[in-house]
Amino acid sequence: MPSETPLLSTEDLKVYFYGRDKISRAVDGVSYHIFPGETVCLVGESGCGKTVSALSALGLIPSPPGKIEGGRIVFKDRDILTLDDVAMQKIRGDQIAMVFQEPLTSLNPVFTIGDQIGEAISTHEMIDQEALDARCIALLKDMGIPSPEERLKDYPHQLSGGQRQRVMIAMALACNPDLIIADEPTTALDVTVQAQILNLLKSVQERDSMAVLYITHDLGVVSGIADRVYVMYAGLIVEEGDTRQVFGNAVHPYTRGLLASLPNRKKRGQRLHNIPGTVPNPAYKPEGCPFHPRCSYRVEDCKTVLPHMIDLDKGHRTRCPVMA
């Protein structure tokens, strides 16, 4: 590891959303950590709480209806859940930045690209317009966008999907953050552009020694970029370890199911594996292990007892006592 002290640690985080007659436990006791300079992937199906846990680290949970009900998020030895809005504003975008899933909805349609990248810089720095324009042009050039001087004058709808995502990355990198949170940044892109964006993120990360928290449901992407992996299900971490451990020796039935569903050459002509059922509604989770209704390895205790994480080997942990 680049350091023995994590850059970011989430400890037993609980984030609930309150409706008129129900409580949705979107994140229900999540713990993970990220070291300086490494890439950590948070993996799971849609609705398992990945994005909510990441937004919590930026203080972006809408309240109401959301509320952080427990846990700590420690960034550079400070519990950021105890900070006020002014202190969080100094961290958000400057020390922790986020690349969102769909840039067309994240970028403001009535402001130019130059305005939006410039705002990301001027919010945190005192800088004159000439220097600001030069920084914006340099960022777009680093992102591989042709004619960056002209693109500064464009509006988001005038760019392709891949170019818009590069602009989002440029905005995230504008203040040289220590950590970038990338929330499925390539989901809406074709395979070729997806590979370009991933390579771009990797090269910038290596150049600037940043940490990256990559949120995805695509295990094919994870295998190529992650140092460590956290598998999330129904608001909980169910397996964690380095990439080799999780992909080479998956233990939790959910992780095994995800890996078995990946296509490969050996499965050509065969039906792909699918995990029966769906992720439970966070307002109506089953008792015990939340995966037990979909699990072919369940025993009676799985229906009533929520298992703790179990240590397996050198950082490899699982929440399944049956398979451990």
Side-chain angles (χ1 to χ4, degrees), residues 146-163:
S147 305
E149 297 87 353
E150 295 301 315
R151 296 291 77 77
L152 285 185
K153 305 169 188 175
D154 286 345
Y155 291 87
H157 73 273
Q158 295 175 281
L159 305 182
S160 69
Q163 288 176 328

Side-chain angles (χ1 to χ4, degrees), residues 15-16 25 33 68 70 80 87 98 117 119-120 135 138-139 142 154 170 173 186 201 247 254 267 270 275 280 291 309:
V15 186
Y16 298 169
R25 294 174 291 154
H33 58 271
I68 296 176
I80 61 179
M98 190 160 186
I117 299 176
E119 182 182 19
R135 281 269 294 276
L139 282 163
D142 281 349
D154 286 345
L173 295 173
T186 61
L201 272 171
F247 278 76
Y254 179 61
K267 298 178 182 178
Q270 303 177 27
I275 303 173
F291 188 63
M309 294 293 282

